[in-house]
Amino acid sequence: MEKFIIKGGRRLQGEVEISGAKNAVAAIIPAVVLSDEPCILENIPNISDVSISLRILYEMGADVKFLDKTTVRIDATGITEPVVPYEMAKQMRSSYYFLGTLLGKFRRARVSMPGGCYLGDRPIDQHLKAFTTLGATCVLDHGMIDIQTEEILGSQIYFDVVTVGGTINTMLAAVKATGMTVIENAAKEPHIVDLANFLNSMGADIMGAGTDVIKIRGVKNLKGTAYAIIPDQIEAGTFMVAAAATRGDVLIKNVIPKHLESITAKLEKIGVNVEEFDDSVRITVDGPFVKTSIKTMPHPGFPTDMQPQISTLLCLAEGASIVTEGIFDNRFRYVDELRRMGADISVDGKVAVVEGIGSFMGAPVMATDLRAGAALVIAGLAAKGVTEIGDIHHIERGYEDMEGKLRALGADICKKSAPGDSIRQAAL
Ligand code: EPZ
């Protein structure tokens, strides 16, 4: 098991470059299947979810070739069997995007039920409702989802709940349908817009991405393209919070400030200075952190993927803050780990009361999921003493070279591979 060892108390200073967006590339790599020609994707982040997605394409018969560290050429025209092997699909949630893309291309697909971060109940009923509305039959067969249809018929689809995955899967399935598909109550995240721009660059006809009504006029063929993935708004937000928590001075480069608006607004309310430039933001802190209420909402609201990180910062504020998780049933699993570092947080369902504690103490902790792991890193950077974070594979699913980027900002962090020698494991 790999772990991070962090000696806290050092201010982060300098510049950091943000990588391509995990949740955009999670949709765009499967979308390449829809193309009748090879595609080139640029600004690909070096994270394990990308490796898994590319591996799935390769196992299915695609030709995958890295042209440089962040550019990959994919020729998926060799894929003939629309089946994603269970062993590959179970490793991450976004494997279910292969359902939409394979249905869109082959009119049938067989993919395992999704895995991914445990954040409470994460059904896919809206995905299946959309596929059924588009004319497909969906059958659960021993943990695999089987969908197929003679023809995909453009339809009106209304989501009962705003779902990023459901919106993405429907776009992938409908882009080559017969006729017009209208998605109502669609998700509006930046990665939804990025997927629409990618598909349109291949010749798709998608309008309204980024609003709650997306119209997709089906087209017969999609050609090859070269496309650059947008920067990761959540990685950027994570570094903004880390810079603030260490009262540092950090320039965060290769960002789209508009994607960070809700994060910037909350950080300024907490007392953090955020200076905006064309494609970067600078974080400094002068005074005390101020207690602030946060409620996570679909975009353009405050992103749920920043909730553990901002709650960690609020532990260092004066007074009690209220954090409400508006998206998932159980996204406070990291609180137990933060309590080991001195946090004083009480959780009742979807609401957490975060008391200011002045500072964290270093301690051995375990990452329970991707963003929880990021929150523990932030706490370790700000803590007095040494923090050891186990199960960092969760973090490496969505953050490229986190320890290298933090070390370049002056953090005392290193990665250790030592099976079972964690103090915490010994104590269990
Ligand atoms: C995507 O998950 C992201 N994952 C998540 O990021 C992110 O937290 C989430 O969107 C919200 O922004 C990827 O993009 C790979 P949803 P997804 O469908 O698509 C309910 C990270 O840390 N729902 O928008 O699974 C669901 O239970 C990860 O990067 C249904 O009820 O999220 C949840 O309460 C974690 N039925 C809410 O909707 C459905 O059919 C939002 O889920 C689908 C969803």
Side-chain angles (χ1 to χ4, degrees):
M1 177 187 82
E2 290 203 308
K3 53 193 175 187
F4 284 150
I5 313 286
I6 301 173
K7 191 170 178 329
R10 297 173 70 145
R11 296 179 65 239
L12 297 185
Q13 291 182 296
E15 300 185 354
V16 63
E17 187 92 17
I18 297 304
S19 303
K22 160 185 159 321
N23 292 344
V25 76
I28 289 173
I29 288 178
V32 170
V33 167
L34 291 159
S35 172
D36 302 327
E37 297 169 344
C39 293
I40 291 181
L41 301 181
E42 297 156 12
N43 200 32
I44 296 279
N46 178 16
I47 55 177
S48 53
D49 270 15
V50 164
S51 312
I52 295 169
S53 291
L54 293 175
R55 184 89 197 145
I56 288 174
L57 283 180
Y58 175 76
E59 297 275 347
M60 292 173 67
D63 180 63
V64 177
K65 192 158 162 281
F66 269 93
L67 306 180
D68 63 35
K69 210 163 90 55
T70 59
T71 307
V72 66
R73 178 184 182 278
I74 304 171
D75 180 353
T77 55
I79 294 177
T80 51
E81 200 42 36
V83 176
V84 177
Y86 168 69
E87 285 313 314
M88 304 298 293
K90 71 174 183 180
Q91 299 174 57
M92 61 174 191
R93 182 163 190 80
S94 52
S95 52
Y96 62 20
Y97 293 150
F98 284 95
L99 280 170
T101 194
L102 293 169
L103 180 68
K105 173 85 176 198
F106 297 102
R107 305 288 184 272
R108 64 192 175 93
R110 183 175 163 79
V111 181
S112 160
M113 284 292 280
C117 292
Y118 178 74
L119 305 171
D121 188 23
R122 296 180 81 178
I124 60 167
D125 58 304
Q126 299 298 302
H127 302 234
L128 301 179
K129 167 181 149 177
F131 294 148
T132 310
T133 309
L134 290 167
T137 54
C138 304
V139 174
L140 185 58
D141 171 24
H142 298 90
M144 300 293 279
I145 301 171
D146 252 314
I147 50 175
Q148 58 183 322
T149 179
E150 284 306 309
E151 186 183 12
I152 297 178
L153 300 168
S155 314
Q156 189 91 13
I157 293 161
Y158 182 87
F159 284 131
D160 306 333
V161 59
V162 175
T163 159
V164 167
T167 303
I168 287 173
N169 245 337
T170 306
M171 290 164 72
L172 294 170
V175 74
K176 294 182 75 177
T178 305
M180 174 77 86
T181 295
V182 179
I183 306 172
E184 308 234 24
N185 202 20
K188 303 184 269 195
E189 273 68 6
H191 27 292
I192 302 282
V193 177
D194 209 28
L195 173 64
N197 291 340
F198 171 69
L199 292 169
N200 285 340
S201 78
M202 291 204 284
D205 185 353
I206 301 172
M207 298 150 278
T211 74
D212 52 10
V213 180
I214 299 177
K215 293 184 177 167
I216 305 164
R217 190 186 307 284
V219 295
K220 284 221 170 316
N221 300 95
L222 293 171
K223 58 190 192 316
T225 185
Y227 190 80
I229 309 290
I230 52 168
D232 192 313
Q233 84 181 131
I234 306 300
E235 184 192 17
T238 302
F239 275 93
M240 291 165 81
V241 172
T246 61
R247 307 184 72 81
D249 180 345
V250 178
L251 182 68
I252 300 165
K253 298 162 66 176
N254 188 31
V255 302
I256 299 173
K258 177 140 186 59
H259 292 171
L260 305 175
E261 276 175 349
S262 62
I263 300 167
T264 297
K266 282 300 178 185
L267 284 174
E268 287 177 336
K269 215 156 167 310
I270 294 172
V272 178
N273 308 318
V274 184
E275 205 178 341
E276 276 186 16
F277 304 96
D278 288 346
D279 62 354
S280 60
V281 290
R282 182 180 172 204
I283 300 295
T284 55
V285 181
D286 300 321
F289 297 128
V290 177
K291 64 184 167 65
T292 303
S293 292
I294 307 265
K295 175 164 186 175
T296 67
M297 300 289 286
H299 191 79
F302 189 85
T304 175
D305 294 346
M306 280 299 300
Q307 183 261 91
Q309 299 93 309
I310 204 83
S311 300
T312 301
L313 181 64
L314 289 170
C315 291
L316 304 176
E318 292 171 353
S321 303
I322 309 288
V323 177
T324 305
E325 172 53 53
I327 307 291
F328 290 108
D329 299 337
N330 181 3
R331 196 166 200 168
F332 289 113
R333 290 175 67 215
Y334 63 93
V335 167
D336 270 341
E337 298 305 306
L338 271 189
R339 285 183 182 130
R340 296 172 53 78
M341 301 179 70
D344 178 1
I345 303 174
S346 44
V347 176
D348 179 4
K350 292 188 162 191
V351 179
V353 178
V354 181
E355 298 286 353
I357 55 168
S359 69
F360 288 106
M361 299 172 275
V365 290
M366 301 289 271
T368 51
D369 61 69
L370 165 59
R371 308 302 175 185
L376 293 171
V377 169
I378 291 166
L381 292 169
K384 292 192 172 81
V386 177
T387 299
E388 175 186 290
I389 304 174
D391 279 354
I392 58 168
H393 61 85
H394 288 294
I395 299 174
E396 293 174 331
R397 281 191 47 216
Y399 289 94
E400 175 178 325
D401 189 19
M402 182 181 258
E403 84 270 12
K405 291 186 178 184
L406 286 171
R407 232 193 339 267
L409 291 172
D412 182 345
I413 177 173
C414 64
K415 191 194 296 189
K416 269 183 83 176
S417 314
D421 76 348
S422 146
I423 308 160
R424 182 166 162 69
Q425 272 194 329
L428 287 179

